[in-house]
Amino acid sequence: MDPLPIARAQFATTTSFHFLFVLLTLGLVTLVAVMQTRSAFGRKPELLRMTRFWGKLYVINYALGIATGIVMEFQFGLTWTGLSAFAGDVFGAPLAIETLVAFFAESTFLGLWIFGFSKLNKWVHLALIWLVTLTAYASALFIMVANSFLQNPVGTHLENGVLKLDDFGALLANPALAAALPHLIGAAVLTGGFFVVGVSAYHFIKRTTEIEFFRRSMRIGVVAALLGSLLVINQGFAQFGLLDEYQPDKLKGGPEVGAPLGFMIMIGFVCLLAALLGTALLHRDRVTRARPLLYLMVLAIPLPFVAAIAGWLVREFGRQPWLIYGKLRTADAIAGVSGGEILFSFLAFTALFAVLAIADWVLMARVARRGPEVDAPQAVALPVLSGV
């Protein structure tokens, strides 16, 4: 049994699962920060309740996303030991920084924010959610720095059969990172916007009495979806122009690249059109009457996730057969274990991810369907855990 295709399928499945959590986490935390900022300056009770409600959903997704990230880290040591041996001195640096940012700084700020409702000064509390947001994007930055190194190994030299880092700044200035990072940010904002719009539309379908609450939520979500889709499309095509600098043959990878690429572009434009159409529903009376479009908004929640996975496949398939482009082949990076052993770990990890994904969807669906609480609790996380 050839271990290579199994190992590739395993890592593709793991990263795809984790990427879905990351997208929604980045998108939701951005919208929650905007809501809390408007609440702090506007003093409108709906905005504070919106912060709490959407903050609950963000916390659930964040917690389970962390779990998927931990599982993914194990695979570098279990399956891809050749990567660590050949380029660990380079590849490990941004991953180590990301771990410090995500598991220490971001988690600390988030914990203070969760339990700081009605306990901290509102400006301190507002600063905390923005620190959570900034550290979340910093975490994404260093993950993309590591991935961009695999796409284009700049700032390194070969010494005694291993790669050594010459210039960390070159990793940050990598052409493979220049358009990919804004593309990721746009995808996250787009995903968060579609999620907020879809959940709000669900409550209008159910004839909620929280008209003002979900009208304001939908407005913020539609604006985020529109801005995110514009950024995604712009930076997506910008990446094509940069490919000649580091992977001129990337888009010639055959059907395994061309099919996801075409699908991603199609969904990207569908998302843009949907965001433009959503602006027609911002007026309160039109929202409550446009039921067919509301149903479409609920059904559209998965679209950004599907497009994101397609884009990720294009980025990774286009590099093959190289794990580090031009330096290390994927076949040479795999650990010296049998195909059966990798298959066992693949099945185990996939089952674990499936459980985490189902738990995430069930918890978020329950909280989303229940809607905002009339008398908001003192913290965000505790009602989530006790109420579901």
Side-chain angles (χ1 to χ4, degrees), residues 1-9 79-80 334-340 342-343:
M1 184 181 295
D2 187 359
L4 180 59
I6 303 174
R8 287 186 61 191
T79 310
W80 302 104
I334 194 169
V337 293
S338 68
I342 295 180
L343 179 60

Side-chain angles (χ1 to χ4, degrees), residues 107-129:
S107 298
T108 300
F109 292 138
L110 178 58
L112 291 171
W113 181 78
I114 290 173
F115 296 103
F117 273 98
S118 304
K119 296 181 179 65
L120 295 175
N121 174 279
K122 73 172 184 178
W123 301 112
V124 174
H125 197 247
L126 177 62
L128 284 172
I129 191 60

